[in-house]
Amino acid sequence: MRNVSIVGMGTTEFGVLDAGVKDLGVRAVSRALRSCDVNRADVDALYLGNFVAGILEGQENIAPLVADSVGLTGIPTMKTEGACASSGIALRQAYQAVATGVHDVVVVAGVESMTNAETTEFTRALNSAADTQTEGKTGLTFPGFYGLWLDRYMHEHGATREEVAAIPVKNRANGATNPRARFRDPIAIDDVVESRLVADPLRLYDCCPAADGGAALVITASDRAREFTDTPLSVLGSGHASGRSGAYRYEDLTTLDATVTAANDAYAQAGISPTDLDVVELHDCFSAAEIGDSEDLGLFEKGEGARAAAEGVTAVDGDVPINPSGGLLSKGHPVGATGIGQVYEACLQLLGEHENQVDGAELALTHNLGGSGAVCTVTVLGRDA
Amino acid sequence: MPAFPATECADCGELYGFPVVACRDCGCESFETRELDGSGIVYARTTIRVPGADHQGQEPFEVCVVDLADDIRITARVLDNPELGPDDSVQFVEARDGVFFFEAA
Ligand SMILES: [Zn+2]
């Protein structure tokens, strides 16, 4: 296996962009190609993650469409789909192709356009990530899944609503200074606990907003990385696991085992432990998700995640900075673009160029989760190998 | 008290709450219905106030994860009881269109 480096990156802002999935994909990929010294003739393949363009826009076959529009006609392309982890999977597949020597230079993208959709179409599309035969029929939504999660978590671990609310407050404060975030206004604990109930005990401000967006990377074998940039970053570990197909399938609903498995694989490959990490971008689609993810990733003991956020441990200047980008709660969740968007934010941290810079960040982790914990990718990133 | 219609693998005896087409353990594709005591314990509960496209107008409604006898765990509806929570007792009422409905016991 060869070492793999990131040599280029590009993104749109995440928000209400009034653009379709093809245009957002083209913008992100073009920006990634322009960010480094890669000629189009160097690119061997394009992997693109997307979730709902087929349902919402009637637009499938997106990977070759984007490739043709950015001057990459002729190369092999493919779309990956794993709900909210769609582009995390794209990165994983591209990583494997480069690591095994199948390809030398691969463009990886994630893209989604959601805010133009009618509400009923939008919710139908998102709910398609759950098992429609069991939980879909029952009427469980994704906020509902995390409502169940949080109900059980508070019952078992005694976390308070106010402790949980510290997470959206932190992430909105971080998002306020991220020009790529959809929400850039800070909120207070009272705003969260007084906002309207969506899926008890989850409230409106516990939930991430939809967004449109695209993000892309150029990756290559590490021994070729300096042909394309003076500041390559290393993919030190990559994990990808599947998990349970519904809330009823978990023995312990508060542990989403796909995250544990993917993280352990990524840690082992990188030769690190969770305490070595300097900065983490994890899948905070809901406040409850950030609590669970932080524990499943091994950053905190079970039951300590909410308290850690309330005590400031996960702030940008805390011991375990989580989502200094503002996370999904601030950036928004353009589903298929989220995983690469997280990697983009982590790369800025490792380059020392982030608006909410963690001092001296050398080792970063990104965590992308899809469905009811049904699929997860974890990536460990470092400065140049 | 209605019994709960669990699905039992005809080959290895593995039990399922939701119907399945192939046994997760042995791959057998034949099943029999086995009636379980319809009393259950709530594992977790939420109240859906913003429903999906297929449940518009039904809100608010309760969705629970419920534990039945023989380690069967299912996602189910509980009729009009937002006060229910973990460890509370519920009773199976009926299965309708593939959805299991319970009420407070
Ligand atoms: Zn069997």
Side-chain angles (χ1 to χ4, degrees):
Chain A
M1 294 279 275
R2 302 192 293 179
N3 291 327
V4 176
S5 294
I6 296 171
V7 296
M9 58 184 197
T11 193
T12 67
E13 67 176 89
F14 285 10
V16 180
L17 303 182
D18 195 27
V21 68
K22 175 182 144 188
D23 289 353
L24 294 174
V26 167
R27 271 181 225 169
V29 171
S30 292
R31 290 172 190 179
L33 290 169
R34 269 171 76 102
S35 73
C36 55
D37 295 325
V38 168
N39 296 317
R40 279 160 172 69
D42 295 326
V43 176
D44 297 318
L46 180 144
Y47 293 71
L48 181 147
N50 175 259
F51 176 40
V52 289
I55 299 173
L56 294 183
E57 280 185 42
Q59 182 65 69
E60 289 283 15
N61 217 5
I62 298 167
L65 205 63
V66 169
D68 188 37
S69 300
V70 298
L72 292 174
T73 320
I75 60 169
T77 64
M78 69 178 288
K79 183 184 87 169
T80 59
E81 190 274 309
C84 317
S86 291
S87 63
I89 296 170
L91 175 57
R92 162 71 169 190
Q93 295 303 307
Y95 166 84
Q96 288 181 319
V98 173
T100 55
V102 173
H103 294 309
D104 274 356
V105 180
V106 179
V107 171
V108 192
V111 64
E112 205 76 69
S113 176
M114 307 168 77
T115 68
N116 278 335
E118 298 288 334
T119 303
T120 48
E121 284 311 301
F122 176 80
T123 56
R124 192 188 307 280
L126 287 188
N127 284 347
S128 73
D131 183 341
T132 55
Q133 285 189 341
T134 58
E135 306 205 313
K137 271 187 188 170
T138 306
L140 189 66
T141 57
F142 279 101
F145 177 83
Y146 279 100
L148 291 171
W149 188 100
L150 187 57
D151 186 48
R152 187 68 202 178
Y153 184 90
M154 291 170 75
H155 176 76
E156 283 191 29
H157 300 294
T160 68
R161 249 318 327 199
E162 283 71 22
E163 286 170 341
V164 176
I167 285 167
V169 170
K170 164 185 70 81
N171 289 359
R172 288 285 286 263
N174 292 344
T177 45
N178 183 347
R180 296 170 296 286
R182 173 167 181 181
F183 286 161
R184 293 177 212 163
D185 48 331
I187 54 173
I189 297 285
D190 283 351
D191 294 326
V192 182
V193 299
E194 290 168 11
S195 63
R196 70 183 165 88
L197 283 161
V198 170
D200 311 23
L202 279 187
R203 293 171 178 273
L204 183 63
Y205 283 133
D206 291 301
C207 307
C208 71
D212 314 315
L217 307 168
V218 180
I219 69 169
T220 187
S222 296
D223 59 6
R224 290 194 55 189
R226 287 186 186 273
E227 293 175 34
F228 309 114
T229 181
D230 294 331
T231 55
L233 300 169
S234 294
V235 181
L236 300 172
S238 165
H240 178 189
S242 59
R244 306 287 168 163
S245 59
Y248 73 99
R249 287 280 300 130
Y250 289 90
E251 263 176 63
D252 173 6
L253 181 60
T254 69
T255 299
L256 303 187
D257 35 28
T259 293
V260 177
T261 305
N264 286 342
D265 285 354
Y267 290 142
Q269 191 186 347
I272 66 157
S273 64
T275 52
D276 296 324
L277 294 166
D278 298 311
V279 59
V280 172
E281 288 285 334
L282 57 70
H283 204 90
D284 60 325
C285 45
F286 302 93
S287 56
E290 177 160 325
I291 299 168
D293 298 341
S294 68
E295 296 171 0
D296 294 344
L297 290 168
L299 303 170
F300 302 113
E301 294 292 321
K302 196 78 221 159
E304 294 298 320
R307 211 159 296 127
E311 289 169 356
V313 177
T314 58
V316 174
D317 61 356
D319 285 345
V320 185
I322 293 178
N323 291 330
S325 70
L328 285 60
L329 286 166
S330 290
K331 281 191 79 183
H333 188 17
V335 176
T338 295
I340 302 293
Q342 293 171 322
V343 173
Y344 185 97
E345 301 287 338
C347 287
L348 284 186
Q349 290 284 350
L350 297 172
L351 293 169
E353 295 173 1
H354 201 280
E355 294 83 356
N356 297 315
Q357 183 65 40
V358 172
D359 278 347
E362 293 185 1
L363 206 52
L365 177 143
T366 64
H367 162 262
N368 194 195
L369 189 71
S372 313
V375 50
C376 181
T377 62
V378 171
T379 310
V380 176
L381 302 161
R383 291 185 184 170
D384 185 22
Chain B
M1 294 287 204
F4 180 85
T7 298
E8 182 175 23
C9 174
D11 198 343
C12 77
E14 182 72 15
L15 273 182
Y16 297 89
F18 288 104
V20 291
V21 299
C23 178
R24 184 179 287 122
D25 279 5
C26 77
C28 174
E29 297 182 27
S30 323
F31 298 91
E32 288 153 12
T33 298
R34 186 165 128 206
E35 295 199 331
L36 299 183
D37 177 357
S39 63
I41 303 288
V42 173
Y43 175 71
R45 174 220 128 231
T46 187
T47 300
I48 305 293
R49 296 173 193 272
V50 182
D54 295 336
H55 297 83
Q56 296 286 327
Q58 297 180 23
E59 71 274 20
F61 58 87
E62 280 70 52
V63 176
C64 288
V65 177
V66 174
D67 287 328
L68 297 166
D70 292 308
D71 291 328
I72 296 293
R73 178 169 281 180
I74 53 172
T75 303
R77 289 278 281 272
V78 173
L79 300 167
D80 300 328
N81 199 329
E83 303 307 315
L84 278 173
D87 298 344
D88 288 341
S89 296
V90 289
Q91 171 63 44
F92 178 63
V93 177
E94 63 171 338
R96 193 171 356 118
D97 299 330
V99 180
F100 301 119
F101 288 84
F102 286 75
E103 63 186 8

